[in-house]
Amino acid sequence: MGKRVGIEVSLAVAEAVKLCDVDVVSAYPITPQTHIVEELSHYVANGDLDAAFIPVESEHSAMSAAVGSSATGARTYTATSAQGLALMHEIMFIAPSMRLPIVMTIANRSLSGPISIWNDHSDIMAERDTGWIQIFCENGQESFDLTICAFRIAEDKRVLLPVGVNMDGFILTHMIEPIEFMDKAEVKAFLPDYKPQLTLNPKKPVSMGPVGVPEVYMEAKKQYEQALWDSKDVVKEVLAAWGKHTGRKYAMVECNGKKKAKTVFVTMGSLGETAMTAVDNLIAAKQDVGQVRLRLWRPFPKEEMKKALKDAAKVVVIDRALSPGGVCGPVATEIKSLFYGDKNAPKIYNIVAGLGGRDVSVKDFEEMYALAKGGKIKDDYVIWGVKSNA
Amino acid sequence: MSDRAFVAWQKLALGCAILEPGSSAKLKTGDWKSLAPKLDEEKCIKCGKCFTYCPEFCYSEDKNGFFRADLSYCKGCGICANECPTEAISMGKEEK
Ligand code: SF4
Ligand code: SF4
């Protein structure tokens, strides 16, 4: 077992990337992702990591360089946030369509405007349909662990898709947490060498990313969407293997609190920990409450989520992103459609909370619970805590 | 539903890659031109400018040193005719 060290989570993520022995890091610094790539550039400069560090001129180039590097068969990593991710948008679609197993950390931050460097999930939600596997971490240890798992998932022959590892900006990236590290041999035993199926190699020429005329485009899309759905089994396998290897067990969908609870929170990301404390408090106060934490956002674990919520009478879905002009927040939209037409569907409430770095505390969750329990939430979604004169 | 696709998704190469080098030559791209270049051998000085400037790489040199356009890739842009220093190329209706 590795050493337990008190460390800033960003630095722990950089260490995880180093332990995965990446060949190429192409990145542009942006708050709150900066410490991760800064640390990686130190490793490369000091000779601690034998990799090419490409200091690109923008995030559009960061993702483009990652695509090119991954296409040669190199294990490739990048990281970004908010506006940086938005600038990658065009190339975000290219990576999965070319079946390139790039791993990227997204230090989740709200998109401007108004200008904000603080946390919410609006950045990744704007990239929802790009075809990436999308994982959400709840704490520092998870960020370290799932970064390593991400490479094994991405590079699996049955998958070959890029993986985005989401961690809440500042709330996780800049937190100092006790993290259990591993040594290189332990990571090597878990993460096999990347064996690319196709590479840019003059000895065996292939054209990657060609034009998809109307007679091919839909089949090409279907091919990588199927791979995305099929990746769910691989995610499950890899998480199980990680549990065996380290003793730290993760699932795509995790439940805690009362079994078969009447009222259940659904959270994604670091809010899960806050909700967990609230759920403990409420249970201590004899309330019938539980919690479901969603760790895999894409592909959406439909069966697992439905099973986790099947005994609930009321479900309170927390979204950390607003879908302006939409029916409700992105996570709630999925959960409502999961239960569409189901006679036993629970009542589903949606609370959009914590936008642009607004704190969401244990007390907030207790108040949400009281409102949901009393059936007092009437709107399709509530923007939690928004100050109003009305 | 009519079948509008070339190939089933399972049969596509990984990531829709093309595994056969040079296969794009099979795709005849010159079926939409309205005018085609015609060479007057009398005027041609065999300088090769048409070969250099054609954006579709239609021209190749024949055994007599003349540059001939493969019209199956010609889009009829007329660049060759414009660049020819002796006006040896004229644009006109394609002779079938
Ligand atoms: S008309 Fe244009 S495409 Fe055709 S041979 Fe001349 S330069 Fe090439
Ligand atoms: S540019 Fe004109 S003169 Fe020169 S090779 Fe072509 S046709 Fe002949």
Side-chain angles (χ1 to χ4, degrees):
Chain A
M1 198 196 279
K3 252 193 6 217
R4 217 167 133 90
V5 187
I7 190 171
E8 188 188 297
V9 174
S10 282
L11 305 186
V13 168
E15 176 71 20
V17 173
K18 185 180 94 184
L19 286 167
C20 292
D21 201 16
V22 297
D23 301 309
V24 175
V25 178
S26 79
Y28 191 84
I30 181 170
T31 302
Q33 154 266 34
T34 311
H35 292 179
I36 302 173
V37 294
E38 207 171 57
E39 184 75 351
L40 282 167
S41 74
H42 286 159
Y43 289 150
V44 173
N46 296 342
D48 295 333
L49 173 62
D50 181 17
F53 189 97
I54 313 179
V56 286
E57 74 281 18
S58 78
E59 285 84 358
H60 190 279
S61 306
M63 186 47 68
S64 300
V67 162
S69 133
S70 184
T72 67
R75 182 173 281 166
T76 304
Y77 174 81
T78 185
T80 194
S81 264
Q83 313 302 124
L85 185 60
L87 191 49
M88 288 179 175
H89 181 67
E90 184 190 353
I91 318 300
M92 286 292 286
F93 288 85
I94 309 289
S97 98
M98 284 171 65
R99 307 294 298 277
L100 301 173
I102 298 162
V103 171
M104 171 162 68
T105 301
I106 300 125
N108 297 115
R109 160 182 153 184
S110 39
L111 274 171
S112 308
I115 296 169
S116 167
I117 58 164
W118 294 277
N119 167 257
D120 68 30
H121 294 167
S122 53
D123 54 0
I124 190 61
M125 287 306 162
E127 306 302 321
R128 186 190 61 185
D129 296 338
T130 50
W132 284 57
I133 295 171
Q134 297 173 24
I135 295 174
F136 275 82
C137 305
E138 204 172 272
N139 57 40
Q141 185 71 53
E142 270 191 49
S143 305
F144 176 84
D145 292 352
L146 297 180
T147 300
I148 299 170
C149 291
F151 283 100
R152 179 154 154 185
I153 295 165
E155 293 170 3
D156 190 291
K157 224 173 53 216
R158 295 162 290 173
V159 178
L160 293 171
L161 286 170
V163 179
V165 182
N166 291 275
M167 52 193 289
D168 285 317
F170 292 112
I171 298 168
L172 292 185
T173 54
H174 286 55
M175 192 59 72
I176 293 171
E177 283 191 35
I179 300 206
E180 204 166 283
F181 280 95
M182 292 164 87
D183 60 37
K184 208 161 175 181
E186 282 174 299
V187 174
K188 215 170 162 51
F190 174 78
L191 178 66
D193 288 342
Y194 171 38
K195 292 204 181 65
Q197 303 294 298
L198 290 177
T199 57
L200 294 178
N201 179 350
K203 288 198 189 113
K204 200 168 177 272
V206 293
S207 300
M208 293 168 81
V211 64
V213 292
E215 292 82 358
V216 159
Y217 185 89
M218 286 179 82
E219 284 67 31
K221 277 274 184 207
K222 168 70 187 169
Q223 190 199 61
Y224 77 82
E225 202 225 1
Q226 191 61 47
L228 185 61
W229 278 120
D230 294 347
S231 73
K232 207 178 88 176
D233 287 340
V234 177
V235 173
K236 210 190 237 166
E237 264 175 51
V238 171
L239 293 180
W242 183 261
K244 261 206 183 132
H245 199 66
T246 65
R248 292 189 293 275
K249 298 191 177 74
Y250 300 110
M252 298 178 267
V253 170
E254 259 174 48
C255 304
N256 74 291
K258 276 240 157 104
K259 284 213 164 57
K260 301 195 174 189
K262 217 167 159 188
T263 304
V264 176
F265 283 107
V266 177
T267 57
M268 204 160 69
S270 65
L271 272 183
E273 299 231 319
T274 320
M276 204 185 294
T277 309
V279 165
D280 286 348
N281 292 351
L282 287 164
I283 289 174
K286 309 227 170 330
Q287 297 301 305
D288 193 3
V289 61
Q291 178 190 9
V292 172
R293 292 175 290 152
L294 179 56
R295 200 168 269 122
L296 183 67
W297 170 234
R298 283 294 182 273
F300 193 83
K302 292 191 277 193
E303 295 80 8
E304 291 78 359
M305 181 54 92
K306 200 149 182 196
K307 195 168 154 225
L309 294 176
K310 72 176 187 341
D311 298 311
K314 291 176 176 181
V315 173
V316 185
V317 183
I318 312 297
D319 263 295
R320 211 163 194 165
L322 185 65
S323 171
V327 177
C328 50
V331 182
T333 305
E334 301 288 338
I335 290 172
K336 282 187 181 177
S337 48
L338 263 190
F339 282 99
Y340 176 75
D342 190 328
K343 280 195 209 74
N344 304 315
K347 181 98 190 111
I348 299 167
Y349 302 113
N350 183 206
I351 292 178
V352 175
L355 302 185
R358 184 76 58 94
D359 274 341
V360 185
S361 66
V362 170
K363 206 169 142 262
D364 287 306
F365 279 100
E366 291 167 3
E367 286 170 15
M368 292 173 197
Y369 172 76
L371 287 179
K373 188 186 172 199
K376 293 214 181 80
I377 303 176
K378 301 284 178 230
D379 295 332
D380 287 335
Y381 60 94
V382 175
I383 303 181
W384 188 255
V386 73
K387 194 166 181 155
S388 158
N389 265 340
Chain B
M1 199 170 17
S2 68
D3 184 5
R4 301 190 180 98
F6 287 151
V7 59
W9 66 266
Q10 294 93 338
K11 289 255 165 76
L12 276 180
L14 186 76
C16 199
I18 296 172
L19 307 181
E20 186 193 337
S23 62
S24 61
K26 287 185 193 158
L27 191 64
K28 307 292 184 198
T29 51
D31 58 1
W32 56 286
K33 62 178 150 311
S34 53
L35 293 173
K38 199 175 163 223
L39 177 68
D40 180 347
E41 291 177 15
E42 299 288 308
K43 290 188 188 163
C44 177
I45 54 167
K46 301 179 179 173
C47 68
K49 270 191 134 182
C50 49
F51 165 84
T52 311
Y53 279 95
C54 170
E56 299 299 323
F57 308 100
C58 294
Y59 282 95
S60 55
E61 198 176 350
D62 74 6
K63 60 179 190 306
N64 299 319
F66 288 114
F67 290 87
R68 308 277 180 194
D70 181 344
L71 295 183
S72 47
Y73 304 109
C74 167
K75 61 186 176 187
C77 66
I79 289 175
C80 51
N82 260 293
E83 294 298 333
C84 175
T86 62
E87 297 183 357
I89 301 174
S90 56
M91 300 299 291
K93 274 227 156 109
E94 192 175 357
E95 289 161 17
K96 298 268 167 175

